[in-house]
Amino acid sequence: MMVKQHMLFTLYSICGIVLKDILAVSVAATKNKVRGAPGQFPIVQNMTVTEGGTVNLTCRVDHNDNTSLQWSNPAQQTLFFGDKKALRDNRIELVRATSQELTISIGEVTLGDEGMYTCSLFTMPVKTAKAFLTVLGVPKKPEINGFTKPAMEGDFITLTCVTSGSKPAADVRWFRNEKEIKGAKEVNASGRTFTVKSSLKLQVDRNDDGVAYTCKVDHVALTATPQQTTEVLEVHYAPRVEIKHSLTIPQEGQYLKLECVSKGNPSPDPVLWTKDGGELPDLDRMIVEGRELTFTSLNKTDNGTYRCEASNHLGTNHAEYVLFVYDAPTTPSPSTAPLAPTSPDTTGPLGSKHLKPAITGKRDPNALEQRGPDHALIGGVVAVVVFVTLCLIIVLGRYLARHKGTYLTNEAKGADDAPDADTAIINADGNHAHAEEKKEYFI
């Protein structure tokens, strides 16, 4: 009985000592926590990363009493507890672990990694801070559909540019060569990402042949250059023809080159040269090389209408040039300016489809028959003289008509009070003694 009492006393003593130690540790820990509480709050920051990239998540505390820090993913799975890795994921690595910081990295980030990450500080109670990780979806290189090669002039076509995988939705722009043009945009969601489509409706003509249409994709994830795709439009069209000539005023003995400029797709080669509706008469002096017709030495027999004709499978077109060769110029006197240039003028106006090409500052050489007196000018001067003469005759006639009237002779003076003609004559001024001699008798 005494042994049992001794054992119970010993057990109570041990329990008392243990309880005393536990209370002492609790009080000390509580005091430490109270003193460290003002700085023991974890600090984190929201992060943004591009899909496939690497991001660092950092959690810091200003003051710590060696309490552990922990990172958890959006599924509340522990990634790291202090420097101890808790989740088996080779993409997640420890960067730095101290009493005041825990930094981890996530590589090869996917869209599934997006969400709210939690940093926990294991005080009593546990304190947490949350950081949201945003993952940007990179848009894929755009594809252009709707090109018909070749397109025919006048056709209506619709070009469509499509890009997928962007998050948020990408912006799609169209360019015609370097100039931006507007398309119709359409956005569709596909899971976490978006598919963007832009359409461009065109009625093509020959001006669209060889034009580069570019679709560019702009997105926040594309930090360098935007994704883009370019297609060159091919348009087939009937030819258009015009003739360029090397001389403004062709003269005998000069060298003349006529160039047939034909534009069409497919290219209208070769071209056909004719004169006055028939073949070229003198192939020794008229040389045809490709699109050019060359006269080695002009003479009067070369006068006529020259026609260049070009064709492809879409149609035929032609242009005409009327050639009139003038006499060779004589040697001008020192005070006389030359009548015409002696060297070829390659910048002369086009003769395409014009029977009388315009010449700036000079008369049309193809409209003149020969040099000599200007009959039109002489005729105009004669007409003016005749007109002035007629006007003078008319004015003189009107003047005479206005001054026509009655004129009185001396014999008529004093006739106002005379009863008859004889008395009037007698009463007239002059010598009344010879009144009888002034009588006149009319039979």
Side-chain angles (χ1 to χ4, degrees):
M1 187 72 179
M2 293 294 295
V3 174
K4 290 183 179 179
Q5 290 179 351
H6 179 73
M7 291 178 62
L8 288 174
F9 177 79
T10 302
L11 181 62
Y12 286 136
S13 298
I14 294 173
C15 290
I17 294 171
V18 171
L19 290 174
K20 182 179 180 181
D21 292 339
I22 292 175
L23 290 174
V25 170
S26 299
V27 171
T30 302
K31 290 181 180 179
N32 289 334
K33 289 179 182 178
V34 171
R35 289 195 300 268
Q40 285 186 311
F41 289 95
I43 302 171
V44 296
Q45 184 178 1
N46 294 334
M47 301 298 293
T48 299
V49 63
T50 301
E51 183 182 12
T54 300
V55 63
N56 288 346
L57 299 178
T58 300
C59 179
R60 293 188 180 89
V61 290
D62 292 337
H63 303 285
N64 196 355
D65 57 352
N66 295 324
T67 304
S68 297
L69 293 171
Q70 172 186 292
W71 270 114
S72 302
N73 64 13
Q76 295 303 313
Q77 297 172 317
T78 300
L79 302 179
F80 269 88
F81 183 81
D83 59 354
K84 301 297 188 295
K85 187 174 183 178
L87 184 66
R88 292 183 179 181
D89 189 336
N90 294 331
R91 300 179 304 121
I92 304 175
E93 300 290 341
L94 177 65
V95 177
R96 182 181 177 84
T98 66
S99 61
Q100 294 180 328
E101 177 183 336
L102 177 59
T103 300
I104 63 173
S105 70
I106 304 175
E108 299 178 6
V109 176
T110 66
L111 295 176
D113 292 325
E114 183 175 86
M116 192 72 74
Y117 288 74
T118 304
C119 176
S120 302
L121 177 63
F122 282 88
T123 58
M124 187 64 67
V126 177
K127 298 175 182 177
T128 61
K130 296 183 181 296
F132 193 88
L133 177 62
T134 301
V135 181
L136 303 177
V138 181
K140 295 181 179 178
K141 186 175 182 179
E143 297 181 357
I144 298 179
N145 302 314
F147 270 88
T148 303
K149 293 188 177 181
M152 300 300 171
E153 185 174 28
D155 285 353
F156 289 90
I157 64 173
T158 300
L159 305 181
T160 303
C161 177
V162 180
T163 180
S164 59
S166 61
K167 178 181 172 294
D171 185 25
V172 177
R173 296 187 297 161
W174 281 102
F175 291 83
R176 184 182 187 273
N177 288 337
E178 299 299 325
K179 183 178 180 181
E180 185 172 359
I181 54 179
K182 188 176 181 180
K185 183 179 176 181
E186 179 181 342
V187 179
N188 295 310
S190 53
R192 293 176 179 264
T193 62
F194 297 88
T195 298
V196 183
K197 179 174 67 174
S198 181
S199 300
L200 191 64
K201 294 184 178 180
L202 304 171
Q203 182 180 15
V204 298
D205 58 23
R206 64 188 60 216
N207 295 325
D208 289 308
D209 184 42
V211 171
Y213 284 87
T214 301
C215 174
K216 289 185 179 181
V217 177
D218 291 331
H219 193 264
V220 64
L222 302 174
T223 57
T225 57
Q227 294 272 28
Q228 66 181 47
T229 300
T230 300
E231 293 284 350
V232 178
L233 187 60
E234 180 182 357
V235 180
H236 281 190
Y237 56 93
R240 286 181 181 174
V241 183
E242 56 187 13
I243 297 176
K244 292 183 178 180
H245 50 90
S246 61
L247 291 177
T248 303
I249 303 178
Q251 297 171 345
E252 284 187 300
Q254 288 185 328
Y255 172 94
L256 173 65
K257 181 174 71 174
L258 301 181
E259 182 183 0
C260 181
V261 181
S262 58
K263 295 181 180 180
N265 192 11
S267 180
D269 290 322
V271 298
L272 176 64
W273 283 99
T274 59
K275 178 187 178 184
D276 297 329
E279 296 181 354
L280 299 177
D282 190 352
L283 297 180
D284 292 334
R285 292 185 309 101
M286 301 179 185
I287 303 173
V288 178
E289 294 180 347
R291 299 171 181 268
E292 296 180 353
L293 173 60
T294 302
F295 299 81
T296 57
S297 180
L298 291 172
N299 60 46
K300 294 289 187 178
T301 62
D302 295 329
N303 291 345
T305 300
Y306 292 84
R307 176 170 173 162
C308 170
E309 185 176 286
S311 303
N312 62 16
H313 71 280
L314 295 175
T316 301
N317 205 341
H318 69 272
E320 293 181 346
Y321 174 78
V322 178
L323 174 62
F324 184 85
V325 180
Y326 292 94
D327 296 329
T330 58
T331 303
S333 61
S335 60
T336 305
L339 295 177
T342 58
S343 60
D345 183 4
T346 58
T347 61
L350 298 179
S352 174
K353 292 188 179 181
H354 296 284
L355 298 182
K356 297 180 181 180
I359 302 175
T360 304
K362 299 178 182 179
R363 302 186 63 186
D364 187 351
N366 296 315
L368 300 177
E369 292 297 329
Q370 59 183 3
R371 288 198 296 267
D374 194 333
H375 299 289
L377 180 60
I378 295 174
V381 172
V382 172
V384 171
V385 172
V386 173
F387 177 78
V388 171
T389 303
L390 290 176
C391 290
L392 289 175
I393 293 173
I394 293 173
V395 171
L396 183 59
R398 291 180 60 86
Y399 178 82
L400 294 177
R402 290 176 61 88
H403 290 77
K404 183 178 178 180
T406 302
Y407 298 90
L408 301 177
T409 63
N410 289 329
E411 287 79 7
K413 294 179 180 180
D416 293 338
D417 300 329
D420 51 40
D422 293 338
T423 307
I425 293 173
I426 295 172
N427 294 337
D429 294 340
N431 188 3
H432 296 279
H434 303 284
E436 291 296 330
E437 297 178 1
K438 295 182 181 181
K439 289 184 179 180
E440 295 181 4
Y441 299 91
F442 297 92
I443 301 177

